[in-house]
Amino acid sequence: MCGRFDLHSRPDAVARALGAPVPSHGWAPHYNITPGRPIAGALAGALDYAWWGFKPRWADHNAPAPINARAETVATSRYFRGAFEHRRCLIPANGWFEWQETSAGKQPWYVTVPDAPFIAYAAIWAESDQETGRCCAIITEPARGAARSIHPRMPLVLAPDCWHAWLDAGLTRRHEIRAAVHRLDPGQLRAWPISRRVNRPAEDDEALIQRAD
């Protein structure tokens, strides 16, 4: 799954790479981004915010608000299908956190691509009643590369050369979308153990992503 990540790249650098206008509001670096809050994303032709927790405006009051959608079913699920066809977005990040079961308890790890200015998760969005007016979910897939030994799933990280194809509103058919996009080479992923301070959502500083002894 993807339940925690960081984004500390500059908004103008992210906007240029995604071909989006530089947002006037920007964002401060955050090293411990949690669900149930607005997160930055490339959607509807711009960098803007969407609530991390997918609950479309049309959904029933008691409907769930999942933070993730499985790559295996996102195109066919009634809850996600419309967004997959018409409202795909990218969530910029520098890396994500995952927890590994050990004899001493859960050990947090940081997974990233060290040489990349930032990475981008495949995601979907919808109009919602949240304060941002939009909600989103990050798409996940079976873990690969350095992430595989830590947790069975990971966010779907797309290769930069297909970012624009993923955002292309003209692509709506499942086979067309999947033919036009591909994941980042998982061999580029690196992971290292980090401090358990990351367990506390209030902790938010650069030391969180540094290797722990």
Side-chain angles (χ1 to χ4, degrees):
M1 64 174 293
C2 179
R4 204 82 69 84
F5 68 96
D6 76 311
L7 175 60
H8 54 265
S9 293
R10 290 172 53 91
D12 55 342
V14 173
R16 284 195 300 270
L18 294 175
V22 177
S24 58
H25 46 72
W27 60 72
H30 286 293
Y31 295 89
N32 198 357
I33 298 172
T34 59
R37 60 177 285 180
I39 59 175
L43 64 166
L47 272 181
D48 208 338
Y49 286 99
W51 191 265
W52 190 11
F54 191 84
K55 189 173 183 179
R57 188 166 291 156
W58 53 260
D60 181 81
H61 176 73
N62 295 319
I67 62 172
N68 295 146
R70 296 173 71 92
E72 299 91 328
T73 56
V74 65
T76 56
S77 162
R78 178 184 175 275
Y79 205 58
F80 299 130
R81 185 175 61 234
F84 178 80
E85 293 174 350
H86 303 290
R87 290 177 294 280
R88 298 182 302 277
C89 61
L90 290 169
I91 304 299
N94 292 99
W96 72 93
F97 305 109
E98 200 51 80
W99 282 258
Q100 183 182 48
E101 294 283 356
T102 73
S103 59
K106 290 187 176 182
Q107 171 61 49
W109 288 70
Y110 181 60
V111 188
T112 186
V113 179
D115 298 329
F118 67 95
I119 56 179
Y121 307 142
I124 54 174
W125 70 276
E127 300 288 348
S128 80
D129 292 327
Q130 293 288 357
E131 61 187 63
T132 60
R134 299 184 177 99
C135 60
C136 67
I138 294 172
I139 297 175
T140 67
E141 66 168 355
R144 305 172 190 275
R148 182 180 296 173
S149 63
I150 302 170
H151 192 273
R153 298 193 68 82
M154 61 177 272
L156 175 54
V157 183
L158 294 184
D161 62 2
C162 68
W163 288 349
H164 294 298
W166 178 254
L167 296 174
D168 185 355
L171 294 178
T172 61
R173 296 181 182 273
R174 178 184 181 186
H175 69 278
E176 294 175 334
I177 296 167
R178 294 195 166 177
V181 302
H182 55 277
R183 68 177 61 85
L184 186 78
D185 175 8
Q188 297 184 45
L189 296 174
R190 299 291 181 270
W192 52 81
I194 58 173
S195 168
R196 285 183 168 85
R197 283 201 304 121
V198 75
N199 295 346
R200 300 189 293 272
E203 302 283 352
D204 187 4
D205 59 78
E206 188 174 2
L208 291 179
I209 64 174
Q210 295 174 0
R211 182 184 294 271
D213 293 335

